[in-house]
């Protein structure tokens, strides 16, 4: 594996809840990629989703990472302290008429969207407010509105893990929100501003975010910033095939830790799930650096069963 000291990646926990085994797997992959190449790791706390941010969760996430044996070279960079940067990015998009004020409520969008959409999936924005110019926001002062980005880019990119990815406008969701009505930046904008400002060259994250990537690439281009590479890795799911959640037992890292499970045991399970070890046996994160291979990770989600948890001596 070649050395690439210019590689910069990041760990970006959202302190909206506890970090669990699913988060840990993505963090491990991200960290190993950087450490194997001799690159850098930035820690960023994505805490601008304020109503859902839990007190103490950012500190807990850092404790969890340290416990796993994962470190970082820069940060923590805290998004809630960087609002001025996001505001200036929004101002650039406004000046170029790349965003417009949108007064639609969630239910307006749902009703206007022609295609049926699955539960939990955002409906495609039908363009109701796309006729507006940025300056029209002045006249909307007393009405809540969001800023939406005019999506026109073709949505194809090469994923370092998945290969060529092409998504339709429907799959991307059409024009998307970059600034929420509560005077706060949306994830799509803050993540692009920060990944660029933090010099991130390779974003590794869960594949639930694949559909966000074309939106973010469109923002890189609109803001004239160089885009990073992306590697979207499979998530951890429960036996029912759904994303790891409370109903699958307590898989919080803090719970495993209080139950006396060693971090090497957790890393051993994750390493086996990624195809780097043939058996589930304890190993420290740093000892995995030479075994790491992105291409060896199975493309399907990792199904975490109660039996596997029992194998590591845990009855969540
Ligand atoms: N903060 C996000 C999360 O914890 C990650 C966003 C990203 O990696 O772009 O799910
Ligand atoms: Zn609208």
């Amino acid at each position: 594996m070649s050395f690439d000291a210019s590689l910069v990646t990041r760990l970006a926990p959202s302190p909206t809840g506890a970090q669990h085994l699913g988060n840990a797997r993505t963090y491990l992959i991200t960290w190993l990629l950087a450490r194997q190449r001799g690159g850098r790791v930035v820690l960023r706390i994505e805490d601008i989703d304020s109503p859902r941010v839990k007190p103490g969760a950012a500190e807990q996430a850092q404790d969890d990472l340290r416990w796993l044996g994962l470190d970082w070279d820069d940060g923590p960079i805290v998004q809630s302290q960087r609002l001025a940067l996001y505001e200036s990015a929004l101002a650039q998009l406004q000046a170029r008429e790349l965003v417009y004020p949108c007064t639609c409520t969630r239910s307006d969008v749902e009703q206007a969207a022609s295609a049926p959409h699955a539960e939990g999936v955002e409906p495609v924005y039908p363009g109701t407010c796309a006729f507006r110019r940025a300056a029209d926001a002045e006249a909307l002062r007393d009405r809540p509105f969001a800023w939406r980005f005019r999506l026109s880019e073709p949505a194809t990119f090469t994923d370092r893990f998945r290969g060529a990815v092409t998504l339709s406008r429907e799959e991307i969701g059409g024009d998307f929100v970059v600034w929420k009505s509560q005077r706060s930046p949306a994830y799509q904008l803050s993540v692009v501003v920060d990944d660029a400002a933090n010099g991130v060259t390779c974003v590794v994250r869960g594949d639930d975010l694949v559909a966000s990537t074309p939106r973010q690439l469109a923002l890189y281009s609109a803001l004239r910033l160089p885009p990073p590479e992306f590697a979207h890795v499979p998530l951890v799911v429960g036996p029912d095939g759904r994303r790891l959640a409370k109903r699958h037992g307590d898989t919080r890292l803090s719970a495993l830790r209080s139950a006396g499970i060693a971090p090497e045991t957790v890393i051993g399970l994750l390493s086996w799930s990624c195809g780097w070890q043939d058996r589930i046996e304890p190993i420290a994160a740093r000892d995995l650096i030479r075994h790491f291979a992105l291409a060896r990770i199975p493309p399907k989600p990792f199904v975490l069963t109660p039996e596997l948890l029992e194998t590591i001596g845990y009855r969540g």
Side-chain angles (χ1 to χ4, degrees), residues 229-289:
E229 270 195 288
F230 291 88
H232 292 91
V233 296
L235 296 181
V236 178
V237 298
D240 56 1
R242 295 176 56 191
R243 194 193 302 201
L244 212 53
K246 287 221 174 76
R247 67 177 166 279
H248 301 122
D250 193 347
T251 65
R252 288 175 304 151
L253 298 172
S254 55
L256 286 144
R257 182 180 182 173
S258 345
I261 307 294
E264 293 79 9
T265 302
V266 173
I267 299 285
L269 172 66
L270 297 175
S271 167
W272 169 80
S273 82
C274 290
W276 306 322
Q277 295 188 115
D278 297 337
R279 281 176 301 146
I280 301 176
E281 54 191 19
I283 186 165
R286 66 175 175 281
D287 294 328
L288 266 182
I289 297 174

Coordinates of all heavy atoms in Angstrom, one line a residue, residues 229-289:
E229 N -12.1 13.1 -2.4 CA -12.6 11.8 -2.8 C -13.6 11.3 -1.7 O -13.5 11.7 -0.6 CB -11.5 10.8 -2.8 CG -10.7 10.7 -4.2 CD -9.9 9.5 -4.2 OE1 -8.8 9.5 -3.4 OE2 -10.2 8.5 -4.8
F230 N -14.4 10.3 -2.1 CA -15.4 9.8 -1.2 C -15.3 8.3 -1.2 O -15.1 7.7 -2.2 CB -16.8 10.2 -1.6 CG -17.1 11.6 -1.4 CD1 -16.8 12.5 -2.4 CD2 -17.6 12.1 -0.2 CE1 -17.1 13.9 -2.3 CE2 -17.9 13.5 0.0 CZ -17.6 14.4 -1.1
A231 N -15.4 7.7 0.0 CA -15.5 6.3 0.2 C -16.7 6.0 1.1 O -16.7 6.4 2.3 CB -14.3 5.7 0.7
H232 N -17.8 5.4 0.5 CA -19.0 5.1 1.3 C -19.0 3.7 1.7 O -19.0 2.8 0.8 CB -20.2 5.5 0.6 CG -20.4 7.0 0.4 ND1 -19.9 7.6 -0.7 CD2 -21.0 7.9 1.2 CE1 -20.2 8.9 -0.6 NE2 -20.8 9.1 0.5
V233 N -18.9 3.4 3.0 CA -18.8 2.0 3.4 C -20.1 1.5 4.0 O -20.9 2.3 4.5 CB -17.6 1.8 4.4 CG1 -16.3 2.2 3.7 CG2 -17.8 2.7 5.7
P234 N -20.3 0.2 3.9 CA -21.6 -0.4 4.3 C -21.8 -0.2 5.8 O -20.9 -0.1 6.6 CB -21.5 -1.9 4.0 CG -20.4 -2.0 3.0 CD -19.5 -0.9 3.3
L235 N -23.1 -0.1 6.2 CA -23.5 0.1 7.6 C -23.6 -1.2 8.3 O -23.5 -2.3 7.8 CB -24.9 0.8 7.6 CG -25.0 2.2 7.0 CD1 -26.5 2.6 7.2 CD2 -24.1 3.2 7.7
V236 N -23.7 -1.1 9.6 CA -24.0 -2.2 10.5 C -25.5 -2.2 10.7 O -26.1 -1.2 11.0 CB -23.3 -2.1 11.9 CG1 -23.7 -3.3 12.7 CG2 -21.8 -2.0 11.7
V237 N -26.1 -3.4 10.5 CA -27.6 -3.5 10.6 C -27.9 -4.6 11.6 O -27.0 -5.5 12.0 CB -28.3 -3.8 9.3 CG1 -28.1 -2.7 8.3 CG2 -27.8 -5.2 8.7
G238 N -29.1 -4.7 12.1 CA -29.6 -5.7 13.0 C -30.0 -6.9 12.2 O -30.1 -6.9 10.9
P239 N -30.4 -8.0 12.8 CA -30.9 -9.2 12.1 C -32.1 -8.9 11.2 O -32.3 -9.6 10.2 CB -31.3 -10.2 13.2 CG -30.6 -9.7 14.4 CD -30.4 -8.2 14.3
D240 N -32.8 -7.9 11.5 CA -34.0 -7.5 10.6 C -33.5 -6.7 9.4 O -34.4 -6.2 8.6 CB -35.0 -6.7 11.5 CG -34.4 -5.5 12.1 OD1 -33.2 -5.2 12.0 OD2 -35.2 -4.8 12.8
G241 N -32.3 -6.5 9.3 CA -31.8 -5.7 8.1 C -31.9 -4.2 8.2 O -31.5 -3.5 7.3
R242 N -32.3 -3.8 9.4 CA -32.5 -2.3 9.6 C -31.3 -1.8 10.3 O -30.6 -2.5 11.1 CB -33.8 -2.0 10.3 CG -34.9 -2.4 9.3 CD -36.3 -2.3 9.8 NE -36.6 -0.9 10.3 CZ -37.7 -0.7 11.0 NH1 -38.5 -1.7 11.2 NH2 -38.0 0.5 11.3
R243 N -31.0 -0.5 10.1 CA -29.9 0.2 10.7 C -29.8 0.0 12.2 O -30.9 0.0 12.8 CB -30.0 1.7 10.3 CG -28.7 2.4 10.6 CD -28.9 3.8 10.6 NE -29.5 4.3 9.3 CZ -29.4 5.5 8.8 NH1 -28.8 6.4 9.6 NH2 -30.0 5.9 7.7
L244 N -28.7 -0.2 12.7 CA -28.5 -0.5 14.2 C -29.3 0.5 15.0 O -29.1 1.7 14.8 CB -27.0 -0.5 14.5 CG -26.5 -1.4 15.6 CD1 -27.0 -2.8 15.3 CD2 -25.0 -1.3 15.7
A245 N -30.1 0.0 15.9 CA -30.9 0.9 16.8 C -31.1 0.2 18.1 O -30.7 -0.9 18.3 CB -32.2 1.2 16.1
K246 N -31.9 1.0 19.0 CA -32.1 0.4 20.3 C -32.7 -0.9 20.4 O -32.4 -1.8 21.2 CB -33.0 1.4 21.1 CG -32.3 2.7 21.5 CD -32.7 3.1 22.9 CE -31.9 4.3 23.4 NZ -32.3 5.6 22.7
R247 N -33.6 -1.2 19.4 CA -34.3 -2.5 19.4 C -33.4 -3.7 19.2 O -33.8 -4.8 19.4 CB -35.5 -2.5 18.4 CG -35.0 -2.5 17.0 CD -36.1 -2.6 16.0 NE -35.6 -2.2 14.7 CZ -35.5 -0.9 14.2 NH1 -35.8 0.1 15.0 NH2 -35.0 -0.7 13.0
H248 N -32.2 -3.4 18.7 CA -31.2 -4.5 18.5 C -30.3 -4.7 19.7 O -29.3 -5.4 19.7 CB -30.3 -4.1 17.3 CG -31.1 -4.0 16.0 ND1 -31.0 -2.8 15.3 CD2 -32.0 -4.8 15.4 CE1 -31.8 -2.9 14.2 NE2 -32.4 -4.1 14.3
G249 N -30.8 -4.1 20.9 CA -30.0 -4.3 22.1 C -29.1 -3.1 22.3 O -29.0 -2.2 21.4
D250 N -28.4 -3.1 23.4 CA -27.6 -1.9 23.7 C -26.2 -2.1 23.1 O -25.3 -2.7 23.7 CB -27.5 -1.8 25.3 CG -27.0 -0.4 25.7 OD1 -26.4 0.3 24.8 OD2 -27.1 -0.1 26.8
T251 N -26.0 -1.4 22.0 CA -24.7 -1.6 21.3 C -23.8 -0.3 21.5 O -22.9 -0.1 20.7 CB -24.8 -1.9 19.8 OG1 -25.4 -0.8 19.2 CG2 -25.6 -3.2 19.6
R252 N -24.2 0.5 22.4 CA -23.4 1.7 22.7 C -22.0 1.3 23.2 O -21.9 0.4 24.0 CB -24.1 2.6 23.8 CG -25.3 3.3 23.4 CD -26.0 4.0 24.6 NE -26.2 3.1 25.6 CZ -26.2 3.4 26.9 NH1 -26.0 4.6 27.3 NH2 -26.5 2.5 27.9
L253 N -21.0 2.1 22.7 CA -19.7 1.7 23.1 C -19.5 1.9 24.6 O -18.8 1.1 25.3 CB -18.7 2.6 22.3 CG -18.7 2.5 20.8 CD1 -17.9 3.5 20.1 CD2 -18.2 1.1 20.4
S254 N -20.2 2.9 25.2 CA -20.1 3.1 26.6 C -20.7 1.9 27.4 O -20.2 1.6 28.5 CB -20.7 4.4 27.0 OG -22.1 4.4 26.5
A255 N -21.7 1.3 26.8 CA -22.3 0.2 27.5 C -21.4 -1.1 27.4 O -21.2 -1.8 28.4 CB -23.7 -0.2 26.9
L256 N -20.8 -1.3 26.3 CA -19.8 -2.4 26.2 C -18.7 -2.2 27.1 O -18.2 -3.1 27.8 CB -19.3 -2.4 24.7 CG -20.3 -3.0 23.7 CD1 -20.2 -2.3 22.4 CD2 -20.1 -4.5 23.5
R257 N -18.2 -0.9 27.2 CA -17.1 -0.6 28.1 C -17.5 -0.9 29.6 O -16.7 -1.5 30.3 CB -16.8 0.8 27.9 CG -15.6 1.4 28.7 CD -15.5 2.8 28.3 NE -14.3 3.4 29.0 CZ -13.9 4.7 28.7 NH1 -14.6 5.4 27.8 NH2 -12.9 5.2 29.3
S258 N -18.7 -0.4 30.0 CA -19.1 -0.6 31.4 C -19.3 -2.1 31.6 O -19.2 -2.5 32.8 CB -20.3 0.1 31.8 OG -20.7 1.1 31.0
A259 N -19.6 -2.9 30.6 CA -19.8 -4.3 30.8 C -18.5 -5.1 30.9 O -18.4 -6.3 31.0 CB -20.7 -4.9 29.7
G260 N -17.4 -4.3 30.8 CA -16.1 -4.9 31.0 C -15.5 -5.5 29.7 O -14.5 -6.2 29.8
I261 N -16.1 -5.2 28.6 CA -15.5 -5.7 27.3 C -14.3 -4.8 27.0 O -14.4 -3.6 27.1 CB -16.6 -5.5 26.2 CG1 -17.9 -6.2 26.6 CG2 -16.1 -6.1 24.9 CD1 -17.9 -7.7 26.7
A262 N -13.2 -5.5 26.5 CA -12.0 -4.7 26.2 C -12.1 -4.1 24.8 O -12.8 -4.7 23.9 CB -10.8 -5.6 26.2
P263 N -11.5 -2.9 24.6 CA -11.6 -2.3 23.3 C -11.0 -3.2 22.2 O -11.5 -3.3 21.1 CB -10.8 -1.0 23.4 CG -10.0 -1.2 24.7 CD -10.8 -2.1 25.6
E264 N -10.0 -4.0 22.5 CA -9.4 -4.9 21.5 C -10.4 -6.0 21.1 O -10.3 -6.5 20.0 CB -8.1 -5.6 22.1 CG -7.0 -4.7 22.4 CD -7.1 -3.9 23.7 OE1 -8.0 -4.2 24.5 OE2 -6.3 -3.0 23.9
T265 N -11.3 -6.3 22.0 CA -12.3 -7.3 21.7 C -13.3 -6.7 20.7 O -13.7 -7.4 19.7 CB -13.1 -7.7 23.0 OG1 -12.1 -8.3 23.9 CG2 -14.2 -8.8 22.7
V266 N -13.7 -5.5 20.9 CA -14.6 -4.8 20.0 C -13.9 -4.6 18.6 O -14.5 -4.9 17.5 CB -15.0 -3.4 20.5 CG1 -15.8 -2.6 19.5 CG2 -15.8 -3.6 21.8
I267 N -12.6 -4.2 18.6 CA -11.9 -4.0 17.4 C -11.8 -5.3 16.6 O -11.9 -5.4 15.4 CB -10.5 -3.4 17.6 CG1 -10.6 -2.0 18.3 CG2 -9.7 -3.3 16.4 CD1 -11.0 -0.9 17.4
G268 N -11.5 -6.4 17.4 CA -11.4 -7.7 16.8 C -12.7 -8.2 16.0 O -12.6 -8.7 14.9
L269 N -13.8 -7.9 16.7 CA -15.1 -8.2 16.0 C -15.3 -7.4 14.7 O -15.6 -7.9 13.7 CB -16.3 -7.9 17.0 CG -17.7 -8.0 16.4 CD1 -18.0 -9.4 16.0 CD2 -18.7 -7.5 17.4
L270 N -15.0 -6.1 14.8 CA -15.1 -5.2 13.7 C -14.2 -5.6 12.6 O -14.5 -5.6 11.4 CB -14.9 -3.7 14.1 CG -16.0 -3.2 15.1 CD1 -15.6 -1.8 15.5 CD2 -17.4 -3.3 14.5
S271 N -12.9 -5.9 12.9 CA -11.9 -6.3 12.0 C -12.4 -7.6 11.2 O -12.2 -7.6 10.0 CB -10.6 -6.6 12.7 OG -9.7 -7.2 11.9
W272 N -12.9 -8.5 11.9 CA -13.4 -9.8 11.3 C -14.5 -9.4 10.3 O -14.6 -9.9 9.2 CB -13.9 -10.7 12.4 CG -14.7 -11.9 11.9 CD1 -14.2 -13.0 11.3 CD2 -16.1 -12.0 11.9 NE1 -15.2 -13.8 11.0 CE2 -16.4 -13.2 11.3 CE3 -17.1 -11.2 12.3 CZ2 -17.7 -13.7 11.1 CZ3 -18.4 -11.6 12.1 CH2 -18.7 -12.8 11.5
S273 N -15.4 -8.5 10.8 CA -16.5 -8.1 9.9 C -16.1 -7.4 8.6 O -16.8 -7.4 7.6 CB -17.5 -7.2 10.7 OG -17.0 -5.8 10.7
C274 N -14.9 -6.8 8.7 CA -14.3 -6.2 7.5 C -13.4 -7.1 6.7 O -12.9 -6.6 5.7 CB -13.5 -4.9 7.9 SG -14.5 -3.6 8.6
G275 N -13.3 -8.3 7.1 CA -12.5 -9.3 6.3 C -11.0 -9.2 6.5 O -10.3 -9.7 5.7
W276 N -10.6 -8.5 7.6 CA -9.1 -8.4 7.8 C -8.6 -9.5 8.7 O -7.3 -9.7 8.7 CB -8.8 -7.0 8.4 CG -9.3 -5.9 7.6 CD1 -9.4 -5.8 6.2 CD2 -9.9 -4.7 8.1 NE1 -10.0 -4.6 5.8 CE2 -10.3 -3.9 7.0 CE3 -10.1 -4.2 9.4 CZ2 -10.9 -2.6 7.1 CZ3 -10.7 -2.9 9.5 CH2 -11.1 -2.1 8.4
Q277 N -9.4 -10.2 9.4 CA -9.0 -11.3 10.2 C -10.0 -12.5 9.9 O -11.2 -12.3 9.7 CB -9.1 -11.0 11.7 CG -8.1 -9.9 12.1 CD -8.1 -9.8 13.7 OE1 -7.1 -10.1 14.3 NE2 -9.3 -9.4 14.2
D278 N -9.5 -13.7 9.9 CA -10.3 -14.9 9.6 C -11.2 -15.2 10.8 O -12.2 -15.9 10.7 CB -9.5 -16.1 9.3 CG -8.7 -15.8 8.0 OD1 -9.1 -15.0 7.2 OD2 -7.7 -16.5 7.8
R279 N -10.7 -14.9 12.0 CA -11.5 -15.3 13.2 C -11.7 -14.0 14.1 O -10.9 -13.1 14.0 CB -10.7 -16.3 14.0 CG -10.9 -17.7 13.4 CD -10.0 -18.7 14.2 NE -8.6 -18.4 14.1 CZ -7.7 -18.6 15.1 NH1 -8.1 -19.2 16.2 NH2 -6.5 -18.3 14.9
I280 N -12.7 -14.2 15.0 CA -12.9 -13.0 15.9 C -12.0 -13.2 17.0 O -12.1 -14.1 17.9 CB -14.4 -13.1 16.4 CG1 -15.4 -13.0 15.2 CG2 -14.6 -11.9 17.4 CD1 -16.8 -13.1 15.6
E281 N -10.9 -12.4 17.0 CA -10.0 -12.4 18.2 C -9.5 -11.0 18.4 O -9.4 -10.2 17.5 CB -8.9 -13.4 17.9 CG -8.1 -13.2 16.7 CD -7.2 -14.4 16.3 OE1 -7.4 -15.5 16.9 OE2 -6.3 -14.2 15.5
P282 N -9.2 -10.8 19.7 CA -8.8 -9.4 20.1 C -7.6 -8.9 19.4 O -6.7 -9.6 19.1 CB -8.6 -9.5 21.6 CG -9.2 -10.7 22.1 CD -9.2 -11.7 20.9
I283 N -7.6 -7.6 19.0 CA -6.5 -7.0 18.4 C -6.6 -5.5 18.6 O -7.7 -4.9 18.7 CB -6.4 -7.3 16.9 CG1 -5.1 -6.7 16.3 CG2 -7.6 -6.8 16.1 CD1 -4.7 -7.3 14.9
A284 N -5.5 -4.8 18.8 CA -5.5 -3.4 19.0 C -5.6 -2.7 17.7 O -5.1 -3.2 16.7 CB -4.2 -2.9 19.7
A285 N -6.3 -1.5 17.7 CA -6.4 -0.8 16.4 C -5.1 -0.6 15.7 O -5.0 -0.8 14.5 CB -7.2 0.6 16.7
R286 N -4.1 -0.2 16.5 CA -2.8 0.1 15.8 C -2.2 -1.1 15.2 O -1.4 -1.0 14.2 CB -1.8 0.8 16.8 CG -1.4 0.0 17.9 CD -0.3 0.6 18.8 NE -0.1 -0.3 19.9 CZ -0.9 -0.4 20.9 NH1 -1.9 0.3 21.1 NH2 -0.6 -1.3 21.9
D287 N -2.5 -2.3 15.7 CA -1.9 -3.5 15.1 C -2.7 -4.0 13.8 O -2.3 -4.9 13.2 CB -2.0 -4.7 16.1 CG -1.0 -4.4 17.3 OD1 0.0 -3.7 17.1 OD2 -1.3 -4.8 18.4
L288 N -3.8 -3.2 13.6 CA -4.5 -3.6 12.3 C -4.0 -2.8 11.1 O -4.4 -3.0 10.0 CB -6.0 -3.2 12.6 CG -6.9 -4.3 13.0 CD1 -8.3 -3.7 13.1 CD2 -6.9 -5.5 12.1
I289 N -3.2 -1.8 11.4 CA -2.8 -0.9 10.3 C -2.2 -1.6 9.1 O -2.6 -1.4 8.0 CB -1.8 0.2 10.8 CG1 -2.5 1.1 11.9 CG2 -1.2 1.0 9.7 CD1 -1.6 2.1 12.6

